[in-house]
């Protein structure tokens, strides 16, 4: 069965520091991969997606993610975190009509 | 802003009651998916509608049902509410070319409806 794991439940970084959020997936075919961000009490906003092609994808708000097939990973990165990036981040794998989401990583940003 | 709207924003019901949640898709989208997000968890897929037909269902009982209308707006109905149904219910719209091909179209989410069951 398809599954997504996000090993880090909660990450705290200082403003201006770099960030990497980990995502591993289990899927038998070519995955469609997504990162979404959710602010408290809000819906999910799409940050970026990978369908095919270049394995390094750029998204909104300065985020990027790299697809590594050999590691079944799709980690999210940002070179310099802003206080407004504090939120919950979800990795998802899409197949057919279904999205399977990971449990999320909560990001806190210290001033 | 995705253009996906949901109503109501918040809802309080008691156990055993029935509830209807509504979703208006982004313009041009013909596919709607519904998710349940319990506190502190990732969204769980309930079902999807493509051109007014149910196109897939997650591990939810039959008391969770839905409709999609000709204008592609959608409803989620939950009967015989249980305490564990308390959650944020998210609607997502997408443009489905042919779901049977296994292509996962990008889904755009609404702000959600917070349901509390007492």
């Amino acid at each position: 069965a398809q599954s997504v794991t996000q090993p880090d439940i909660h990450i705290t970084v200082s403003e201006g520091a770099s960030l990497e959020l980990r995502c591993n997936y289990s899927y038998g075919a070519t995955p469609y991969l997504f990162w979404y961000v959710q602010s408290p009490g809000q819906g999910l906003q799409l940050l970026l997606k990978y369908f095919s092609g270049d394995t390094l994808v750029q998204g909104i708000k300065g985020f990027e993610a790299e697809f590594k097939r050999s590691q079944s990973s799709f980690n999210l990165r940002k070179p310099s975190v802003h206080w407004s990036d504090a939120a919950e981040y979800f990795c998802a794998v899409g197949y057919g009509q279904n999205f399977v989401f990971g449990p999320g990583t909560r990001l806190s940003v210290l001033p | 802003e995705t253009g996906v709207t949901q109503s109501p924003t918040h809802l309080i019901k008691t156990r055993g009651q029935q509830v209807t949640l509504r979703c208006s898709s982004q313009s041009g989208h013909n596919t709607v998916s519904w998710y349940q997000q319990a506190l502190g968890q990732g969204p769980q897929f309930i079902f999807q509608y493509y051109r007014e037909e149910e196109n897939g269902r997650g591990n939810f009982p039959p008391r969770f049902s839905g409709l999609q209308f000709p204008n592609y707006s959608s409803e989620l109905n939950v009967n015989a509410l249980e305490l564990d149904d308390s959650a944020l219910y998210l609607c997502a719209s997408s443009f489905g070319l042919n779901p049977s091909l296994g292509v996962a179209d990008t889904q755009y989410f609404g702000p959600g409806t917070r349901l509390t069951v007492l």
Side-chain angles (χ1 to χ4, degrees):
Chain A
Q2 294 75 11
S3 66
V4 177
T5 56
Q6 294 179 246
D8 304 304
I9 296 173
H10 184 203
I11 285 181
T12 300
V13 300
S14 297
E15 191 169 19
S18 64
L19 172 70
E20 182 170 26
L21 302 182
R22 295 183 290 165
C23 171
N24 293 95
Y25 66 89
S26 171
Y27 183 56
T30 301
Y32 297 86
L33 296 163
F34 305 81
W35 274 99
Y36 286 85
V37 62
Q38 185 178 36
S39 298
Q42 303 296 313
L44 280 73
Q45 181 182 21
L46 178 68
L47 283 176
L48 47 78
K49 61 189 178 186
Y50 171 77
F51 282 2
S52 65
D54 192 348
T55 57
L56 183 64
V57 294
Q58 303 297 320
I60 63 171
K61 303 184 179 185
F63 285 94
E64 67 177 27
E66 186 172 12
F67 169 58
K68 293 185 177 180
R69 184 185 300 275
S70 61
Q71 298 178 17
S72 298
S73 69
F74 188 56
N75 294 348
L76 182 71
R77 300 193 294 250
K78 186 170 184 177
S80 178
V81 170
H82 187 263
W83 65 266
S84 60
D85 293 325
E88 189 89 19
Y89 290 80
F90 293 95
C91 180
V93 58
Y95 63 101
Q97 68 273 42
N98 194 0
F99 271 40
V100 175
F101 283 85
T105 296
R106 183 161 62 94
L107 174 65
S108 297
V109 181
L110 299 176
Chain B
E1 293 294 323
T2 62
V4 180
T5 60
Q6 293 186 243
S7 63
T9 306
H10 295 87
L11 204 52
I12 299 175
K13 292 285 188 178
T14 56
R15 194 170 46 182
Q17 285 189 311
Q18 176 266 342
V19 69
T20 298
L21 310 182
R22 296 179 174 83
C23 172
S24 178
S25 303
Q26 183 168 314
S27 178
H29 286 181
N30 57 13
T31 303
V32 173
S33 303
W34 285 92
Y35 293 83
Q36 180 194 68
Q37 186 179 20
L39 201 60
Q41 298 182 22
Q44 300 291 315
F45 175 68
I46 302 174
F47 46 56
Q48 183 184 81
Y49 279 81
Y50 170 68
R51 293 186 173 181
E52 303 179 58
E53 297 285 334
E54 186 176 294
N55 185 48
R57 189 178 186 90
N59 189 27
F60 280 82
R63 59 189 186 84
F64 286 79
S65 63
L67 281 174
Q68 188 179 30
F69 300 100
N71 65 356
Y72 302 130
S73 64
S74 177
E75 287 182 354
L76 164 65
N77 298 289
V78 187
N79 293 321
L81 283 167
E82 301 178 359
L83 297 179
D84 285 349
D85 295 334
S86 294
L88 180 69
Y89 287 85
L90 296 164
C91 161
S93 77
S94 56
F95 182 69
L97 295 175
N98 189 340
S100 65
L101 293 179
V103 176
D105 304 299
T106 303
Q107 298 191 359
Y108 296 90
F109 285 80
T113 294
R114 173 72 63 186
L115 173 64
T116 302
V117 182
L118 303 176

